[in-house]
Each structure stands twice: as C-alpha cells, then as structure tokens.
Amino acid sequence: MTPTLDTPLSDLPEVKAADERRLTHLGLITVRDLLFYLPFDWENYQPSKVNDLQPGEQARVEGTISKIVAKRTPRRNMQLTEAVLIDDDDAGLKLVWFNMPFVAKQINRGDRVAVAGKVQGPSRFSNQLEMRNPRHERLRSGDEGPRGLHDLMPKYHLTKGLTSMRVAFLVAKVIDLADQLEDPIPDEVRARHDLLPIGEAIRLGHRPENEQEWRRARQRMAFAELLELQIAFLLRRREMAAEEATRIPYHQEVIERFKEGVGFELTQAQRRAIWDVYKDMDGEVPMNRLLNGEVGSGKTAVAAAAVAMAHAAGVQSVVMAPTEILARQHLAKFRTYLEDTFPDLRVELLISGQAAAERRRVRTAAASGHCALLVGTHALIEDEVELSDLGLAVVDEQHRFGTEQRERLRNKAGRGRPHFLAMTATPIPRSMALAMYGEMALSVIDELPPGRTPVETSVVAPSRREEAYELVRREVAAGRQAFIICPLIEESETVEARAATAEFERLRQEVFPDLRLALVHGKVRDKDGIMGAFRNGEADILVATAVIEVGVDVPNAAVMLIEGADRFGLAQLHQFRGRVGRGSHASHCLLLVDDPSEKSLSRLQLLSSVNDGFRLAEEDMRLRGAGELLGARQHGMSDIAMQGLFQPQLLSEIQEEAERLLEGDPDLEGTALLRDAARRRLERTAIS
C-alpha cells in the first residue's frame, strides 16, 4: 500500500493497535495530521562517558545494564523503575523512571543500551550521578551506535505510553509526503514575509540540521495559523455587522438605582466594564464582548448591571453557567443585586435537577415574558425552552461551552440577534485575549473589591508534609473546612479518578480517620450534589481533582492543600487558591511539591508573593507557554501559534496582511485554500 496524506494512520504497517489509540488521543488520525504535529522543542545530547558527566547537562551514554528493578513507593503509591548502567570504563550511572513500569519489560539485566537525558547530582540515597526518565534504546549486536537516539532529539507533546522517539520513527516513514501538501499561503504573501513553502517547513520542523532551521520552520507554521485565525475574525466581524440586534438604550436612572441597591461600592474596573457594555448594547450591531476578571473581581455585578438595563428596555436576559451549583450561586447573587431594587424584575432558575412541575412553571414564565432573567445550565438551550423577547445572553466560563451550544442560546431570540456577553474567571493576558478572541471586544476587571481576606500561601517540601496535615487538623478543629487537590496526572478522567480515589482512601484511613471526608472527581455523577453538601458543612475535607477549579463558593473553607503543585500551572494554582479566603477568617494555601528542584520551587514561590492573577498568567505564558495556560487543543490552536503571542511585531504584520487580502479580494476567491482554512479554524476554535 502506498500511503497518501489522507491515509488513516491505522492503515500504516508500522502503527500498532496501541499506537493508534495513543495517536487518536492526541487528535492524530491521518498522515496529514501527523505531518503537522511538529515537535515543540529539541534536546541536544552529547555522547559522553559516565566519568565525564556533569550535573545539569544533557548527555547520551552507552553501557550495559547491571541491575534493574520495578517497585512501588508505599507513601505516594508511585511506580518506580530503577536501574544501573555500567559504561565501557566500568563507571556506574543510576537510572530512574517514574510511573513508567513498561521500561522494566523492555530492558533486562545484561542488555546493552543507550540512554539520553539530563544528568542529576547524587541523591541523599545514592552517591552516583543519575538520570530521571531518560530516553532509552536497546542496542542490538553489531550496531555501531544508537539508531533512534541522535545528538538532536525532538520533543513532542505526548500521552501515556507514547514516546517522542516513537513519534519521530512514525514521522520518518511518511515525511516524503510533505511535498504533496497544498500551500494555503499565496506565493506573494510568502515572498513579502520570507516564509518557507509548506513542504519544506514540515520537513525542517521535524528533521532540522540545526536549531535555526527548526525555528524558521516554526515561524512559517505560526504565521500560517495566525493568518487563518485573523482572517476568520475579520470574516466573523463582517457577518456580525450585517446582523441586526435589539437596541438597548442607556438610561442614567437605571445605573443610579443599580449602584444604590447593589450594597457595595463598585470598583473603577467594574465601572469601566459596565460602561463598555452599555455602549455596545446601545447600538444596532449585536454586542459581542468578553469580560475577563479573576475569581472575586465582581464580574457578576457587571452582568447584573447589563440585565437591569436590558429589563428597562423591555427585553429579557439569560445567564448560562456550566454547572448546577454555579447556576444556583448566580441565582442568589442576581436576586440580591436586582429583585429588591427593581421589584418587577423576576429572576428564575432552570436546571435539569429541578422537579418536572417546577421546570414547567419556569418555562411558562419565560415564554410569557413574566421572567426578566432566566439563569440556568445547558437546560436553557433545550428545544422546549422559549423566551418572549431575548435581548441579552450572558455565558459564564464560556470556554466550557462549545460553539454550537452558544449559538443555540443566541438563537433563542424572537427577533434580531441578542447582545452577547461572555465571562471567564481565568485571567488571560491581554495579548493572548486579543489574539485568541479577536472578533470579541475585551473588557478586563484587573482589581479586586476591597475587603477580600488575603490567603497565606506556602510552598511545602516533602519533608514537611505532616506540618501541612496538622494545619488542616487545627483549622477543622476551629470549625473550618479544607480542600485537598490531587495532582493532575494526564488528560484522562478515568486515570485521575483512580488516583483521586486511592488518595481519598489513604487520607481517610491513615491521615484523617477521625474527620469527615468527601470525594469528587470527573467521573462522579453527582458532582454538584457533593459540592453542595460540602458547602452546607456536611464534610470537613473535600478531596478533589481539578473539577473544583471554578464555581465553588464555600466561605467556611480556610485551607487549600494542593498535592503535586509543581504539576500545575501558576494560573491554575491561583484558581484553586481562589476557592478559599472567601469568608472573614484567615485562610491558607499549601503547595506540596513532588519535585523540590530549584527551578520548581522558584516558580511556585511566585504564588507566595504575587496575588495578581493577570501577572501570574503572564508568568505562566513565559515559563510554560500559552498552550499550558488555556489548553491549545481546547481552543484549536497549536503551541506554535500560541508562541506567536510573544511576538507583537509578528501579530501586527499578520493582522495587516489579513486586512490587505480581504480588502483586495473580499470573498477570497483568489485564495480559496486560505479562505477554507480560515472557515474551518472558525468552526473549531472557541471564538464564536
């Protein structure tokens, strides 16, 4: 069989069934997908003898395995594979693989192998230098050297059981097909910006001779992806400009009444955001605005002010939240902010967990116009839900809803197009927000209301674990509650559920046998029920995975203990921290680390001194990449394009190029490949 670009990877003779499952998990289905899956970095391994190794350097060593054993650590239930490699000078190097038990099945005592990785100094348990999670290759008799481990080795984004060496091997089998790729970027655009042709960029992206070639290939791929995105934004803006919305005129007395009744002084950032929204709604082009502010910044008050103005104009509003518990919290806040101040403004709740009779009552109120604001979950977009005159749609944590779901909500309007306000509590650096949500106007709430209780944040080394547990016990004894977060393992709810369950049982039986513990993770059906019970004080400690990142308001929770904190990004840790400090008592965030290296500790120490979520998000972009901050796959962007966000000049050039192309050819008839690529990107990104 001669493969083509559209050949399924499963049809390649080199791809085993296990490979297919792992590649599919990464979204790699066809040969074309694999070719576009460029490495995100490279490692340079210099051939060395053990006696010449220095801690901190990258090196490749050959030798014979004198010992190898697989075991499980009792405290953390972690799988370890330990081995000793003896080189030709009889010098020993310790090898350690964490949670990779398959290594012990691939390598045996007496095998000659090549290993490549970062050299670590001797640990307190051994006087030998060591490599942790090194790449490895078993050498066959007669081999002059490694066939797969080269001096320059690619680093691909992976999933469990898949190695970069395996991906590189499969790429090598199909790399010649890169010449068959059609280039969506016109020749004149490539010439203006000195860009490589697509085939050459793919080849050099996977198999460069040096770092300069690799960077030039990535620059071309980033340009192409961001150009498609900017064209998609321009096309979307043009479509929206042709749509008609119900105008919601501004009335000064409405905002004055709202400010008097809300019960607190609005911050300057809130006032700016409210004015942005009012200006948008007082027009015939539908508002399409993103409201970005971290947990506790007062986004709900901004949305409530918009609802009040919409009600004054005689139109309805809806607010859609991703979970029932968050929807109920919104219900309480909107009623507090609005119903006493505006007696004829009724706020209702519609969620799947309601009794059938209550759901019928709420649907009737919404359809008849007796409900001014309908708060709910996905239940809002069900076919039987009708609204008499929808003028404003608000979506909270909008990245958790797909494009189709948001569009179905917008289509609930009886006439025109509703104004649309999206909210997110994930602080997004302005440069990223403008590049990823370029067809949306942006408002940022970059200050917190006065009076929030500061959260004392501490980085806890493994040796001080018992001190962290003791602090939890003291706070519970004082009547407070605590969260314990299990570390992120990989993008698999099943694996994370098993790990969370095991940790829950250990804590319940060995650490806190006298306390009431509850467990929640992605595979639990009644997450909202468990979180609601915890909020009501029915458990002392909630053991959880990242599902509690947003949407849980428990004023009595005073401790956030995060296991394996070094596995999370700063922005996500800041989100976890935002779950405590919501009451009047002092609160604590304890960051327990698995890797107490200097690099890991210095990164986490930022949380001890910085409470600004936007600054931490900027640091996350700098240290871990933009894809780690929001999830590149979720937003339809590769890490290559994400890194383009660090290059303002590049973004400016791309935006100008997109405008030039559309100005000269509004329908892009002469660049159909680019037009189609832009429309596909619009469909799969979280921008519409």
Side-chain angles (χ1 to χ4, degrees):
M1 181 197 75
T2 302
T4 68
L5 292 170
D6 296 318
T7 296
L9 293 174
S10 57
D11 289 353
L12 300 180
E14 297 84 6
V15 175
K16 303 174 183 177
D19 290 327
E20 181 189 357
R21 288 194 301 271
R22 293 159 183 160
L23 293 168
T24 299
H25 183 76
L26 294 173
L28 307 180
I29 310 299
T30 67
V31 168
R32 186 189 305 270
D33 297 332
L34 183 61
L35 289 174
F36 277 92
Y37 201 67
L38 299 189
F40 68 90
D41 202 357
W42 290 80
E43 291 179 321
N44 198 342
Y45 299 115
Q46 295 300 319
S48 301
K49 298 288 188 179
V50 172
N51 288 331
D52 296 330
L53 297 177
Q54 296 294 325
E57 71 177 353
Q58 302 269 31
R60 190 180 82 221
V61 181
E62 296 180 28
T64 302
I65 298 297
S66 66
K67 171 187 174 184
I68 184 165
V69 60
K71 60 184 181 181
R72 188 180 294 273
T73 61
R75 178 182 290 273
R76 296 303 310 280
N77 199 30
M78 182 183 295
Q79 293 175 315
L80 289 182
T81 302
E82 296 182 337
V84 176
L85 177 148
I86 305 297
D87 72 2
D88 295 338
D89 294 335
D90 289 329
L93 175 67
K94 184 178 179 180
L95 310 173
V96 182
W97 289 271
F98 298 94
N99 289 324
M100 297 171 66
F102 56 87
V103 174
K105 300 177 182 179
Q106 297 173 341
I107 301 176
N108 300 307
R109 184 172 178 269
D111 286 346
R112 185 165 181 81
V113 300
V115 295
K118 186 176 181 180
V119 180
Q120 306 281 342
S123 70
R124 55 179 175 156
F125 305 109
S126 168
N127 60 1
Q128 289 179 312
L129 294 173
E130 64 180 57
M131 285 185 182
R132 298 173 186 170
N133 288 345
R135 301 184 186 210
H136 63 281
E137 179 180 347
R138 186 176 173 183
L139 302 179
R140 300 177 182 179
S141 177
D143 285 347
E144 295 183 0
R147 294 173 300 159
L149 275 178
H150 306 292
D151 293 355
L152 196 63
M153 291 295 299
K155 293 170 66 175
Y156 293 92
H157 289 300
L158 303 170
T159 190
K160 187 175 181 181
L162 190 66
T163 66
S164 287
M165 285 181 62
R166 183 63 180 164
V167 176
F169 169 77
L170 296 175
V171 168
K173 297 296 181 181
V174 297
I175 193 68
D176 290 341
L177 293 175
D179 289 331
Q180 298 181 17
L181 289 166
E182 293 182 289
D183 202 328
I185 300 184
D187 293 346
E188 63 272 18
V189 175
R190 288 207 315 270
R192 269 197 295 269
H193 301 278
D194 191 26
L195 300 174
L196 294 171
I198 182 65
E200 188 177 356
I202 291 292
R203 285 197 305 276
L204 294 183
H206 285 290
R207 305 176 73 176
E209 292 293 328
N210 51 57
E211 187 173 339
Q212 183 179 359
E213 287 185 346
W214 174 69
R215 292 197 178 281
R216 192 174 178 211
R218 285 177 67 86
Q219 187 84 346
R220 182 254 134 82
M221 302 305 290
F223 190 101
E225 191 169 331
L226 291 170
L227 179 62
E228 292 168 10
L229 198 60
Q230 294 304 316
I231 288 176
F233 289 150
L234 293 174
L235 292 173
R236 183 70 182 122
R237 284 186 205 146
R238 190 169 67 186
E239 291 172 1
M240 291 192 66
E243 296 175 342
E244 186 176 348
T246 299
R247 179 171 171 263
I248 299 175
Y250 173 76
H251 295 291
Q252 181 68 28
E253 63 271 18
V254 174
I255 185 59
E256 292 300 336
R257 287 177 63 191
F258 176 79
K259 288 190 293 186
E260 289 176 7
V262 77
F264 53 82
E265 187 75 16
L266 296 172
T267 65
Q268 287 301 316
Q270 285 175 307
R271 291 169 184 264
R272 287 195 304 269
I274 290 172
W275 182 237
D276 287 342
V277 169
Y278 284 167
K279 286 189 295 183
D280 284 355
M281 295 196 304
D282 194 1
E284 295 179 354
V285 174
M287 174 176 68
N288 193 30
R289 182 167 290 276
L290 174 66
L291 180 59
N292 186 198
E294 60 182 292
V295 171
S297 62
K299 297 181 299 298
T300 306
V302 174
V307 171
M309 198 65 73
H311 175 62
V315 296
Q316 292 172 298
S317 303
V318 295
V319 173
M320 187 163 70
T323 66
E324 291 192 3
I325 192 169
L326 186 54
R328 290 186 183 278
Q329 289 171 191
H330 277 323
L331 175 73
K333 284 189 176 181
F334 278 106
R335 281 182 169 168
T336 299
Y337 293 159
L338 296 172
E339 286 192 339
D340 289 343
T341 306
F342 305 94
D344 59 337
L345 196 165
R346 286 181 54 191
V347 183
E348 297 283 6
L349 177 71
L350 187 65
I351 56 177
S352 301
Q354 289 171 312
E358 175 66 4
R359 284 168 59 84
R360 284 195 298 271
R361 183 193 71 78
V362 173
R363 288 202 303 267
T364 299
S368 64
H370 289 90
C371 166
L373 169 60
L374 186 58
V375 178
T377 56
H378 295 79
L380 294 175
I381 59 177
E382 293 174 355
D383 291 339
E384 61 267 28
V385 177
E386 297 179 359
L387 293 123
S388 65
D389 194 1
L390 178 62
L392 171 65
V394 180
V395 172
D396 193 16
E397 294 304 324
Q398 68 99 26
H399 59 279
R400 297 195 174 199
F401 296 99
T403 301
E404 181 181 354
Q405 293 168 318
R406 295 193 298 275
E407 195 62 22
R408 288 181 65 186
L409 179 62
R410 284 168 162 155
N411 288 336
K412 292 291 182 182
R415 58 187 173 91
R417 182 90 164 170
H419 297 283
F420 184 72
L421 178 65
M423 303 193 296
T424 178
T426 301
I428 307 170
R430 183 172 290 272
S431 61
M432 179 190 288
L434 292 174
M436 291 188 63
Y437 302 95
E439 101 302 0
M440 300 183 79
L442 176 66
S443 292
V444 176
I445 304 181
D446 52 6
E447 61 179 312
L448 294 177
R452 282 295 299 268
T453 305
V455 178
E456 182 180 336
T457 304
S458 304
V459 180
V460 181
S463 60
R464 294 175 49 217
R465 175 179 296 274
E466 286 302 324
E467 296 177 32
Y469 290 155
E470 185 55 37
L471 189 149
V472 172
R473 292 189 188 95
R474 288 199 308 270
E475 290 295 328
V476 171
R480 307 277 86 84
Q481 293 167 280
F483 294 99
I484 295 182
I485 307 300
C486 296
L488 184 69
I489 298 169
E490 64 166 30
E491 293 183 38
S492 166
E493 285 190 345
T494 300
V495 174
E496 289 183 25
R498 286 200 299 266
T501 302
E503 179 67 1
F504 171 75
E505 290 299 330
R506 185 187 75 83
L507 291 168
R508 187 174 64 87
Q509 296 176 22
E510 301 176 17
V511 183
F512 303 113
D514 54 330
L515 301 181
R516 301 171 300 164
L517 275 67
L519 171 67
V520 65
H521 51 69
K523 302 295 283 186
V524 171
R525 289 186 177 181
D526 189 21
K527 289 188 284 291
D528 289 342
I530 294 172
M531 292 179 184
F534 178 66
R535 188 181 190 280
N536 293 333
E538 297 173 28
D540 302 311
I541 299 172
L542 181 64
V543 180
T545 56
V547 296
I548 63 94
E549 182 180 345
V550 295
V552 184
D553 188 2
V554 186
N556 192 48
V559 182
M560 171 62 68
L561 188 155
I562 305 171
E563 292 278 4
D566 45 298
R567 302 189 188 205
F568 296 100
L570 296 177
Q572 191 171 26
L573 291 170
H574 182 65
Q575 291 286 88
F576 290 141
R577 179 168 62 181
R579 298 296 107 212
V580 296
R582 305 173 78 81
S584 58
H585 38 267
S587 295
H588 307 268
C589 179
L590 306 174
L591 307 175
L592 275 65
V593 297
D594 289 337
D595 173 22
S597 66
E598 182 178 349
K599 179 180 179 181
S600 175
L601 292 176
S602 63
R603 184 176 71 89
L604 294 177
Q605 288 294 350
L606 283 168
L607 284 151
S608 300
S609 57
V610 177
N611 287 312
D612 183 341
F614 287 93
R615 181 180 164 193
L616 290 170
E618 293 277 4
E619 286 296 317
D620 245 5
M621 279 184 64
R622 185 178 65 83
L623 294 171
R624 289 161 58 92
E628 294 288 346
L629 182 58
L630 285 177
R633 189 182 303 114
Q634 175 185 339
H635 288 266
M637 293 179 69
S638 72
D639 68 295
I640 297 174
M642 288 283 195
Q643 288 182 1
L645 304 180
F646 293 98
Q647 305 174 56
Q649 182 61 37
L650 175 64
L651 280 175
S652 177
E653 291 177 10
I654 290 171
Q655 288 167 347
E656 290 177 6
E657 189 63 62
E659 291 170 357
R660 179 189 292 118
L661 287 169
L662 281 169
E663 184 178 350
D665 184 4
D667 295 322
L668 296 180
E669 295 294 339
T671 53
L673 283 174
L674 182 57
R675 178 198 62 206
D676 294 343
R679 292 200 177 278
R680 285 194 300 271
R681 188 163 298 283
L682 188 63
E683 292 172 0
R684 67 175 182 264
T685 54
I687 62 176
S688 63

